[in-house]
Amino acid sequence: MTTLSGILSSSQIASLIQQANTAFQMPALLIQSQEKPIQAEISALGQVQNTLSSLQSAMAQLAHLSSTPPRTVTATPNASVSGTATATAVPGTYSLSSIVLAHAENLISSRFTSQSSSLGSGTVSIKVGTGSAVVVNVPTGQDTLAGVASAINAKNAGVSAAVVFDGTGYELTLTGSKTGSANGFTVTGTGGLTGLSYHGSGSPMTQSQAASNASFTLNGIAVSSGSNIVTGTVPGVSLTLQASGSATVTVGTDTSSLSTAAQAVVSALNSAVTTIGKYDTYNAASGAGPLLGDVGIETLRQNLLNAVSGPGGTGLPSGTAYGSLSSIGFAVTSSGTVTFNSTTFSSALNTNYAAVAALLGSIGTVTSANVIVAGVGIAKPGVYAVNITSNTGGTVIGTVNGQAASGTGGVLVVNGAGAASGLSLDIAAGVTGALGMVSVSSGLYSQISGMLNGALAPSTGSVTQEISNLNSTLTAMNKQITSLQQQAQQQTALLTQQYSAAQQTLQQLTTVSSFLTQYFSASSTTS
């Protein structure tokens, strides 16, 4: 009789299920393989984005250039005098001698055994210089040294109070907030606080330091100042006296900072264009870069290089010998990188700082000695007429290129929409009428900053959007992969269940087959 045979072993069934599972997973694996070039593209764009951000940071050093080099103030010996200078300061050397520092008045009370013992309520009246007296009320419960100091400090009376322990007892000290003889002060105590009075020698409180002016001679001229910060003695220069004695102060110009900024821009620019070139070209060894064919990225690289090799800025000062970046040491090589000749650049800076600054940043130049460009703002390149209609007490009103302008502190700012918008000008005190022309130029900073903003703006930048779109594509693909993997798991589970059911059925049939075989074999023997 025919018997049932050929039942699959467990290992054979497991192998079949594994093969089927692999087949079920193929759609998800196919999509995963399609993700790899997208991931490579995102990684490459991220590298490009980082180098462009670094270039943007380097370009920021060119954002606020002026037509004159920054001024420096140095002094010898060190720590004797420090200072700052504006662009209007004339470079030169100044000799300071017989320096005496300004001081604030300081008073000390008699000694007390405790800072928390009651002195008795009363008032403390403080009069600084020619000002009105400030009365400090000290009620019972607050009439301790510490309480009096706290009450005086809360009044902002022009002095500060503190309790000092000298190793034996406690003393109240009062120190003027400002230096200078005009800021000396007197104190009148009443009630339990009469011991906190000072009106000169013989008073209960002792003067340890009188309020005094600073004094020195500058190139032989005697100078007195109520503060150790001296302004106006040298036009455009602020000096801070730090020690008594003598010092030599030199006001100079700083061109090295612009040279350093230019070198940093070239370095960052080369990093950006080299990174783009690395990813958007074909290499025989590694094949096509992940950004090959990305027209926007390649266009950006070319535009960055063209900004250097092009004709230079717009609105440049007329008659300048430096009309392009190549004339001040910049060049683009045949391999697509930028070189920088520091010797040529330094020579150009020393010859015509304004022309070099105009090629690199946005600057303004003026024709009137009564006008200084404080800032260009968003003003477009061009030549603008300045007219002042009112200039009183630092409040300035007028027009620039016909646009309304006004300001305080002697600074005229162009308001509203228009080509000169944002331009700010320092106007000499009191002058009115037509004050010549202001020329605004636009150099490398404006050109490259516009490109970088177009690429890196958080929501609208071309590179930013491209990365965002690719990430969205990956997110959608990952969702599809997850769905397909779940389907594969379900199909594998169903197939496993079906094989298990079939195995059980075959085992049952085998049992029946064996029984029938034995039965018929026994019947045949009996007959």
Side-chain angles (χ1 to χ4, degrees), residues 5 52 115 154 225 237 245-246 275 299 305 343 348 378 391 437 469:
S5 62
L52 293 177
Q115 65 173 331
S225 169
V237 178
S246 301
T275 300
T299 299
L305 293 174
T343 301
I378 59 173
N391 187 353
M437 313 298 287
N469 292 339

Side-chain angles (χ1 to χ4, degrees), residues 45-247:
L45 285 170
Q47 293 294 319
V48 170
Q49 188 179 48
N50 289 339
T51 60
L52 293 177
S53 294
S54 296
L55 176 57
Q56 196 170 47
S57 297
M59 293 301 302
Q61 300 177 73
L62 306 179
H64 301 292
L65 300 181
S66 69
S67 59
T68 57
R71 298 297 192 251
T72 60
V73 179
T74 56
T76 55
N78 291 332
S80 57
V81 178
S82 63
T84 59
T86 66
T88 60
V90 178
T93 300
Y94 304 90
S95 176
L96 280 70
S97 60
S98 303
I99 300 173
V100 176
L101 298 183
H103 293 283
E105 182 175 344
N106 188 73
L107 302 180
I108 302 174
S109 72
S110 58
R111 185 180 293 117
F112 294 85
T113 58
S114 170
Q115 65 173 331
S116 58
S117 298
S118 174
L119 304 177
S121 61
T123 64
V124 176
S125 178
I126 300 170
K127 185 176 185 298
V128 178
T130 59
S132 300
V134 176
V135 179
V136 181
N137 292 307
V138 182
T140 301
Q142 193 180 344
D143 55 341
T144 63
L145 278 185
V148 171
S150 177
I152 291 173
N153 289 332
K155 276 290 189 176
N156 296 317
V159 302
S160 61
V163 178
V164 178
F165 179 66
D166 63 5
T168 303
Y170 296 89
E171 296 157 340
L172 178 71
T173 67
L174 300 179
T175 305
S177 301
K178 296 180 179 180
T179 61
S181 57
N183 293 304
F185 60 90
T186 58
V187 184
T188 303
T190 66
L193 307 178
T194 55
L196 303 180
S197 298
Y198 179 79
H199 290 275
S201 60
S203 299
M205 296 191 79
T206 303
Q207 185 185 71
S208 62
Q209 174 64 60
S212 61
N213 287 348
S215 62
F216 58 95
T217 61
L218 175 71
N219 291 352
I221 300 172
V223 179
S224 178
S225 169
S227 169
N228 289 316
I229 300 175
V230 183
T231 58
T233 302
V234 179
V237 178
S238 174
L239 298 175
T240 300
L241 307 178
Q242 297 173 313
S244 298
S246 301

Side-chain angles (χ1 to χ4, degrees), residues 502-522:
Q503 179 108 349
Q504 291 176 359
T505 300
L506 287 174
Q507 287 176 345
Q508 291 172 355
L509 291 174
T510 299
T511 301
V512 172
S513 173
S514 177
F515 170 77
L516 292 175
T517 298
Q518 293 176 3
Y519 175 80
F520 285 114
S521 295

Side-chain angles (χ1 to χ4, degrees), residues 233-371:
T233 302
V234 179
V237 178
S238 174
L239 298 175
T240 300
L241 307 178
Q242 297 173 313
S244 298
S246 301
T248 299
V249 175
T250 301
V251 178
T253 58
D254 173 24
T255 59
S256 63
S257 58
L258 186 52
S259 294
T260 301
Q263 182 64 72
V265 167
V266 170
S267 178
L269 185 56
N270 278 330
S271 178
V273 297
T274 301
T275 300
I276 293 174
K278 174 183 176 182
Y279 292 119
D280 78 343
T281 56
Y282 177 83
N283 183 285
S286 57
L291 301 181
L292 183 64
D294 191 323
V295 177
I297 288 295
E298 176 57 23
T299 299
L300 176 59
R301 186 181 77 88
Q302 290 295 335
N303 287 342
L304 289 172
L305 293 174
N306 289 340
V308 176
S309 62
T314 56
L316 299 177
S318 60
T320 176
Y322 304 109
S324 66
L325 290 172
S326 62
S327 66
I328 61 173
F330 291 77
V332 176
T333 67
S334 58
S335 61
T337 58
V338 179
T339 60
F340 178 70
N341 189 317
S342 59
T343 301
T344 301
F345 188 81
S346 295
S347 176
L349 275 182
N350 293 328
T351 302
N352 192 333
Y353 185 93
V356 175
L359 283 168
L360 294 178
S362 295
I363 70 166
T365 56
V366 298
T367 60
S368 171
N370 291 315
V371 180

